[in-house]
Amino acid sequence: GLQAIATARRLGAMVKAYDVRAAAREQIESLGAKMVQIEVKGESQGGYARELTEEEKAIQQAALFDAVK
């Protein structure tokens, strides 16, 4: 994902990105992309992504649908 962001930015695209891990925000923004804000925290205690609940998936899907419009 980060490589895709970097490539798109080099080609002149305005890039928005999303990750369930809050730690990814710094990486995304360091590449010049804007982080899509979604109120779903999908990190496990070790900092890795965990499987989202059905409710979290619905929230995520609705927010990403709006961001992609």
Side-chain angles (χ1 to χ4, degrees):
L2 295 174
Q3 186 61 45
I5 291 170
T7 299
R9 291 286 299 146
R10 280 193 300 273
L11 293 171
M14 292 178 10
V15 180
K16 291 183 180 180
Y18 168 71
D19 195 297
V20 295
R21 299 171 302 117
R25 178 187 193 106
E26 184 178 317
Q27 296 171 333
I28 289 168
E29 291 177 347
S30 74
L31 293 171
K34 292 186 180 187
M35 182 78 162
V36 175
Q37 294 298 320
I38 300 177
E39 298 302 319
V40 172
K41 307 296 181 214
E43 290 183 33
S44 66
Q45 287 185 351
Y48 294 99
R50 63 169 174 78
E51 185 172 359
L52 300 178
T53 66
E54 291 303 316
E55 181 181 337
E56 290 171 326
K57 288 177 186 178
I59 293 168
Q60 178 189 49
Q61 184 178 21
L64 290 174
F65 180 79
D66 288 340
V68 171
K69 278 196 235 183

